[in-house]
Amino acid sequence: MSGAELLALLPVLILALGATAILMAGAWWPRRNTLIGAGVAIALLAALTAGGCPPPVAEVGGMFSSGPYARFFTILWSLLAAMTLLLSPRYGRARRFPAGEYPALVLFAAAGMALLSSASSLVGLLVGLESFTLVLYILIAIDKTCPRGTEAGLKYLVMGIVATGLLSFGIALIYAATGTFHFAEMHQALLEGDRMRPLGLLGWALILCAAGFKVSLVPFHLWTPDVYQGAPAPITALLSTGSKGAVFAALVALMLGIGRGLEALAPLLWALAAASIILGTLCALRQDNIKRMLAYSSVAHMGYVTIGLLAGGETGRSAVIFYLVVYTLSNLGAFGVLTAFAIQGEEPQNYKDLRGLGYHHPRRGSALAFFLLSLAGIPPTAGFIAKFNIFHAALKADYLGIALLGILASLVSLYYYLRPVIVMFLARERDLCLDRGSASEHTVLGVCLLAILLLGIYPGPLFDLIALILPS
Amino acid sequence: MTSFPALTLLLLLPLAGTGLCLLFRRKPDLCRAVTLATTLVMLALCVWAFCQQPDAAGWYLREDYPWIERLGARFTLAMDGLSLLMVVLTTFLQVIAVLISWHQKKYPAFFYALLLLMEAGILGVFLASDLLLFYLFWEVMLIPMFFLIGIWGHGRRVYAAVKFFLFTLAGSLLMLLAIIGLYLLHGRQTGDYSFALEALRNTDCGAWEPWLYAGFMLGFLVKVPVVPLHTWLPDAHTVAPAAGSLDLAGLLLKTGVFGILRFAFPLFPASAAASLPLLAFLALVGLFYAAWCAYIQGDVKRLIAYSSVSHLGMIMLGLAAANVLALEGAILLMLCHGLTTGALFALVSMLRRRTGTRELAKLGGMWKEAPIFSCFFLFFALASLGLPGLANFSGEILVFAGTFQVRPLWGALAVVGVVFAAAYILRMVQELLWGERPPGHPWPDLTTLEVVALAPLVFFTLWLGLYPETFLAHLHLPVKILLEQAAPLVAAHGGLP
């Protein structure tokens, strides 16, 4: 590997080396807040480097691209790591998170997500995916006092291993069919005339199933509610946004040159999207626990994103990326509020725990309501523009049926997004002793809120940026 | 036309007010003052706009800025005579809404913030000339209303709030689909992807036209509301706080009718023409059914809510007649209905604050007990009934005249509807003002503040009844343009203008 290639990987290196440094420092000076602060600084530094330091080469080792698309996601996931860490000091203190390991692991996760989003070959895909799921297994179970967390970690581990198996097998099949790992060459080799070769189709199907596990598309979603509920709230924020977003970012890059091959995959994508939207929405209706509700709602959201993939083309891809950004902000915000509400040993989880919170904590209560409205896709939040884009892309690609299904599901979804809002604001008040939250948590919530509002009212700049970075 | 960005200011001012209210949420007095000041400044701005001269195409003011360029959506605001009247009504009623909720004790800052936010949403609906922008505002006005009903309502407030939200949102999501469909059709035909109303009007929708029209209409008809889509309205009205009812009756319902006039008719004239008999049928059914429902109500507020549905039936009949007289009458009736029904709702809320009930059976003898209240109540009740010289009459007579020109049978039926209105109004007035006064504490009469809040409504009710031309003058051009643009509408009734 040449020096230029190393330089192109610099942002990821900063994350990984910084994480290692924190890990080592933590062994000698276990000062949680200082180390978390250092983690935030490193993540911000990585984001700055990714934004301000143009890569000398376009691809690293034939595995990872370092183009603007990869850089965009590197920045996004670095910022996500920074925000996750900013959410954590108070929460981590109350639950005695290990001082060095925690920020180090979050940074490692961000590095893995960045690698996955920049993958330009199937090997890169596998490496990227594994490097952050391994970290997540630990992070989910990091609260050793909470039996539910340990169980969730184990569940994610078992499912993750199945997914890894499927992914490796799929990659092997495609390699057997084409003799290459590289995305661009792969697509050409997989097509036989206008049709996909059977081996390639099987390989694709396996890869999509593995991705389905990671982003919890139906029928691979079964782990989602338990893991969401069991994981500590800041980690759920990271898991529900970054890990899913990175997989989709990789899929967008993977499907870039697919051409006519998309027609062969369309029925599969269609079925995954439809099943996820229907089942996710219906299951979310029945939840009484906000984290489980958000878990099922994320299943439905991933279904919407899959519609964008299905629609394909420049419109579809840009809709997917816009959706990912908005979904990341909204979900991070929602789990951020839950983190900020958490007190010693308890997170407010059931709807009855949220009673009257809108009155006693008007700012955070309103923020949660706002994030939920964004997830529901109500103007003027960015969620509306994001959903609008997806439906727009679907209609443009002549998928009327699934667009109608999506709109119908959005309507039904209002019911479960409104329930917590109703409980917080309209239900009879109950004086609940909750934590006042800390300044760093409020900063994160403020940033998410402002970004969602801005993107909802004036999404133009982000659109332009996406058009700029989208590889074509 | 001036380059002064008055329309943008009309949207930004209430938003700024919302922000200030949330910022100073620990100082209710300050919030109240900020809200009143904001609404007054906006009213002044509207009066200024009222004095402007329209250009040849009927625009008083027009602003256009880039917005989401990738999608071809622009921040286009435009004000013609129709928008102007609606905007004036909005800003005017909003001042009253602030005055009648002056002593709001429950979370005052949040209350005023929502009131202002809703004003921004409603004004946006009346001003937007870009379909995506319009949809944005259309949804924005839902959220404050949801909270106003849900937090400050009485009784089954959560049920009513959710019902309101789901009904109206279901309608508007179908409209969203139709908007996207129209946008894509237009884009494929011309290569120019745009949400501009002007551009989309020339789209050839082919076989899709009835479906797109239906999507738009469902969104609007739920809001109007037309029977059988009306069931959310009595529930919402019954529980809503005073200002909420005033806004709901005076403004939100108007956005539906406005949407039909501004978007559904001009965009799909052929389908619209084909649907006129159906619209007339629904309008007449609503007129009678709601009047009958109003007659049998025991709750005064519910009675007025149903009377509101009935009046909207009359307005819809004006739209279905689709000629100059009927359309002008319908729009005028929107103004009148906003004033009189809004005033009645305000009065009922004041009544409830005094007596603790709205049941007709538990009320009575108000004429002796609270003469000022009774005078106001009688005045607005008679106006609502359509007494000549008061507001509603001028609008109704135009609707009748227009309808008789094209479909005498419809007109004849509608006139019978007025008899029904007389029945329920007179019953209400009789039982409330003159009936037996139940024993108990005396009920205090209206306070000075309440009189101050109601007096302008009286003034404008008289003005609209005696000399509606001031307002009609602004309507001649927009209605003429609408009918020219939507020629099939005129042809539907045998070519009568």
Side-chain angles (χ1 to χ4, degrees):
Chain A
M1 197 177 268
S2 68
E5 285 183 320
L6 275 181
L7 203 61
L9 268 186
L10 191 60
V12 181
L13 283 177
I14 291 178
L15 286 173
L17 293 177
T20 317
I22 289 182
L23 198 59
M24 305 232 279
W28 279 284
W29 302 284
R31 304 186 49 139
R32 199 177 291 109
N33 283 4
T34 322
L35 290 174
I36 284 180
V40 173
I42 288 168
L44 291 179
L45 181 69
L48 267 179
T49 321
C53 189
V57 286
E59 198 167 38
V60 180
M63 274 167 39
F64 301 106
S65 126
S66 55
Y69 181 77
R71 283 297 164 100
F72 175 79
F73 280 104
T74 307
I75 296 174
L76 189 62
W77 306 137
S78 306
L79 291 181
L80 176 67
M83 301 228 253
T84 309
L85 287 176
L86 279 176
L87 283 177
S88 305
R90 195 183 54 78
Y91 191 97
R93 188 173 60 243
R95 280 165 190 69
R96 302 183 176 283
F97 281 180
E101 290 92 315
Y102 179 74
L105 286 171
V106 171
L107 289 181
F108 277 131
M113 288 168 195
L115 279 181
L116 177 59
S117 310
S118 19
S120 65
S121 83
L122 292 170
V123 178
L125 192 79
L126 186 69
V127 170
L129 194 66
E130 285 315 303
S131 59
F132 79 81
T133 31
L134 277 175
V135 178
L136 281 178
Y137 300 141
I138 312 169
L139 277 176
I140 289 169
I142 202 162
D143 187 359
K144 284 179 294 241
T145 54
C146 171
R148 208 176 259 153
T150 321
E151 191 193 316
L154 202 62
K155 223 166 226 170
Y156 194 62
L157 176 71
V158 173
M159 289 297 181
I161 289 167
V162 176
T164 308
L166 291 179
L167 184 65
S168 330
F169 192 35
I171 290 175
L173 285 178
I174 288 189
Y175 185 70
T178 62
T180 176
F181 285 122
H182 206 264
F183 292 169
E185 295 142 31
M186 176 186 103
H187 292 303
Q188 279 307 315
L190 276 181
L191 283 182
E192 210 163 49
D194 265 357
R195 297 182 45 220
M196 180 91 83
R197 292 166 62 181
L199 214 52
L201 198 58
L202 194 59
W204 261 110
L206 287 172
I207 292 180
L208 283 182
C209 290
F213 267 112
K214 294 293 174 199
V215 300
S216 47
L217 288 173
V218 172
F220 314 108
H221 68 290
L222 291 167
W223 57 272
T224 319
D226 294 336
V227 173
Y228 270 47
Q229 189 187 0
I235 296 307
T236 320
L238 185 71
L239 170 75
S240 66
T241 55
S243 80
K244 297 187 173 187
V247 173
F248 265 110
L251 280 180
V252 167
L254 177 60
M255 293 176 70
L256 194 63
I258 193 165
R260 303 296 297 271
L262 185 60
E263 286 164 26
L265 295 179
L268 183 60
L269 287 173
W270 197 97
L272 283 175
S276 304
I277 292 175
I278 294 174
L279 228 76
T281 308
L282 290 183
C283 291
L285 281 178
R286 301 181 38 194
Q287 303 306 317
D288 284 318
N289 177 301
I290 187 165
K291 278 174 101 179
R292 290 182 82 85
M293 183 279 276
L294 284 170
Y296 279 115
S297 96
S298 93
V299 173
H301 278 291
M302 292 304 124
Y304 293 124
V305 184
T306 312
I307 297 182
L309 276 189
L310 174 68
E314 206 249 331
T315 328
R317 284 194 286 274
S318 112
V320 167
I321 296 172
F322 191 89
Y323 202 101
L324 288 179
V325 174
V326 171
Y327 172 77
T328 300
L329 287 167
S330 319
N331 233 10
L332 180 72
F335 283 110
V337 177
L338 292 184
T339 312
F341 275 150
I343 42 170
Q344 183 82 37
E346 273 303 323
E347 285 168 15
Q349 290 214 358
N350 286 323
Y351 288 163
K352 62 177 179 356
D353 299 336
L354 297 172
R355 269 207 142 151
L357 285 192
Y359 300 114
H360 298 291
H361 304 275
R363 268 175 302 190
R364 280 177 294 167
S366 316
L368 181 55
F370 191 80
F371 294 133
L372 290 174
L373 286 179
S374 176
L375 286 172
I378 308 240
T381 62
F384 165 67
I385 304 276
K387 269 202 180 128
F388 179 87
N389 267 320
I390 291 281
F391 297 143
H392 170 218
L395 286 178
K396 209 168 175 183
D398 279 327
Y399 287 107
L400 177 65
I402 201 145
L404 276 174
L405 178 72
I407 289 195
L408 201 70
S410 305
L411 182 65
V412 176
S413 78
L414 263 179
Y415 178 78
Y416 56 79
Y417 286 123
L418 280 186
R419 265 181 76 196
V421 179
I422 288 169
V423 169
M424 274 193 303
F425 284 95
L426 315 189
R428 236 198 6 256
E429 302 159 43
R430 198 181 66 167
D431 198 1
L432 198 70
C433 215
L434 279 185
D435 202 276
R436 301 182 57 81
S438 69
S440 67
E441 288 162 355
H442 289 168
T443 316
V444 173
L445 297 183
V447 168
C448 289
L449 205 122
L450 213 66
I452 290 174
L453 194 60
L454 269 179
L455 288 178
I457 295 169
Y458 193 58
L462 182 59
F463 274 128
D464 296 342
L465 184 65
I466 290 174
L468 207 67
I469 59 148
L470 256 184
S472 50
Chain B
M1 265 196 276
T2 67
S3 57
F4 179 62
L7 299 181
T8 311
L9 209 58
L10 268 181
L11 297 178
L12 287 182
L13 271 174
L15 290 180
T18 306
L20 282 179
C21 282
L22 290 177
L23 206 62
F24 298 114
R25 70 193 158 88
R26 304 225 180 275
K27 300 189 178 100
D29 288 324
L30 190 61
C31 288
R32 208 169 283 137
V34 163
T35 312
L36 186 64
T38 314
T39 48
L40 282 175
V41 170
M42 289 171 62
L43 183 61
L45 212 62
C46 286
V47 172
W48 170 79
F50 200 76
C51 304
Q52 300 293 303
Q53 282 303 315
D55 65 4
W59 300 114
Y60 288 78
L61 297 165
R62 214 181 142 79
E63 284 164 39
D64 182 44
Y65 309 102
W67 183 37
I68 314 177
E69 284 175 79
R70 254 186 78 73
L71 293 176
R74 294 184 70 79
F75 192 83
T76 314
L77 303 174
M79 183 194 255
D80 66 349
L82 174 59
S83 309
L84 173 66
L85 290 191
M86 293 297 129
V87 167
V88 169
L89 179 72
T90 307
T91 46
F92 172 68
L93 280 187
Q94 209 64 15
V95 176
I96 311 285
V98 175
L99 287 178
I100 61 170
S101 42
W102 194 251
H103 296 297
Q104 184 56 254
K105 288 204 178 59
K106 195 175 173 188
Y107 316 113
F110 193 27
F111 182 86
Y112 294 120
L114 288 176
L115 222 51
L116 286 173
L117 186 62
M118 188 155 61
E119 185 169 15
I122 293 172
L123 288 176
V125 164
F126 289 141
L127 293 174
S129 197
D130 178 286
L131 260 71
L132 192 62
L133 190 66
F134 165 76
Y135 186 78
L136 187 93
F137 287 119
W138 180 262
E139 298 282 290
V140 164
M141 64 183 184
L142 284 191
I143 301 169
M145 194 35 117
F146 170 75
F147 282 112
L148 279 179
I149 297 175
I151 300 179
W152 288 272
H154 323 279
R156 299 172 73 194
R157 56 205 170 110
V158 176
Y159 168 79
V162 172
K163 193 169 174 184
F164 160 77
F165 203 81
L166 289 184
F167 259 74
T168 45
L169 205 88
S172 48
L173 277 178
L174 289 173
M175 183 166 79
L176 175 65
L177 204 64
I179 290 178
I180 303 180
L182 182 65
Y183 162 78
L184 288 173
L185 277 174
H186 178 79
R188 280 191 194 144
Q189 279 167 18
T190 61
D192 167 34
Y193 284 92
S194 159
F195 282 100
L197 178 61
E198 296 294 315
L200 292 177
R201 230 188 18 242
N202 307 317
T203 311
D204 171 27
C205 305
W208 286 101
E209 177 163 330
W211 295 101
L212 297 178
Y213 176 68
F216 271 85
M217 282 306 267
L218 270 174
F220 295 137
L221 290 183
V222 168
K223 209 52 146 278
V224 167
V226 162
V227 176
L229 305 170
H230 69 290
T231 62
W232 61 269
L233 183 109
D235 287 319
H237 263 313
T238 312
V239 306
S245 288
L246 182 73
D247 279 3
L248 202 57
L251 306 173
L252 274 198
L253 306 190
K254 307 302 182 304
T255 58
V257 183
F258 175 85
I260 295 175
L261 285 172
R262 172 70 86 232
F263 297 100
F265 278 7
L267 283 172
F268 314 101
S271 298
S275 74
L276 289 183
L278 179 66
L279 281 186
F281 173 72
L282 290 176
L284 285 170
V285 168
L287 187 64
F288 284 102
Y289 170 75
W292 178 69
C293 285
Y295 187 77
I296 58 171
Q297 292 305 318
D299 181 319
V300 190
K301 208 168 176 188
R302 246 182 134 74
L303 192 159
I304 301 170
Y306 274 110
S307 88
S308 192
V309 179
S310 182
H311 281 135
L312 264 299
M314 185 81 83
I315 294 174
M316 287 306 295
L317 187 70
L319 296 198
N323 60 11
V324 174
L325 277 181
L327 285 181
E328 286 185 6
I331 300 166
L332 193 66
L333 197 52
M334 292 209 301
L335 293 185
C336 304
H337 171 261
L339 294 179
T340 54
T341 307
L344 282 176
F345 275 123
L347 279 163
V348 171
S349 297
M350 295 169 186
L351 180 73
R352 185 184 180 279
R353 214 176 297 147
R354 288 170 168 70
T355 63
T357 179
R358 293 186 313 243
E359 292 293 317
L360 273 176
K362 294 181 190 159
L363 292 164
M366 294 299 287
W367 189 261
K368 274 190 195 150
E369 195 73 23
I372 307 179
F373 170 87
S374 303
C375 278
F376 275 112
F377 196 84
L378 185 63
F379 178 83
F380 287 116
L382 290 179
S384 171
L385 176 161
L387 196 74
L390 300 181
N392 284 30
F393 177 74
S394 53
E396 282 175 12
I397 199 79
L398 282 172
V399 172
F400 291 148
T403 316
F404 268 112
Q405 277 185 1
V406 291
R407 292 278 188 273
L409 180 65
W410 298 356
L413 283 170
V415 174
V416 178
V418 176
V419 180
F420 271 64
Y424 64 74
I425 293 277
L426 291 179
R427 169 176 169 260
M428 173 178 73
V429 169
Q430 156 67 22
E431 291 191 15
L432 186 63
L433 300 190
W434 285 285
E436 203 61 17
R437 184 204 181 305
H441 299 291
W443 294 322
D445 213 338
L446 294 188
T447 62
T448 321
L449 182 70
E450 284 166 337
V451 173
V452 168
L454 290 170
L457 289 167
V458 173
F459 176 72
F460 279 101
T461 304
L462 281 170
W463 189 344
L464 272 165
L466 296 172
Y467 191 68
E469 186 55 31
T470 326
F471 303 93
L472 281 174
H474 293 271
L475 286 177
H476 300 322
L477 191 55
V479 168
K480 195 172 133 240
I481 292 174
L482 172 72
L483 288 176
E484 275 168 9
Q485 284 170 347
L489 280 182
V490 183
H493 292 307
L496 251 163

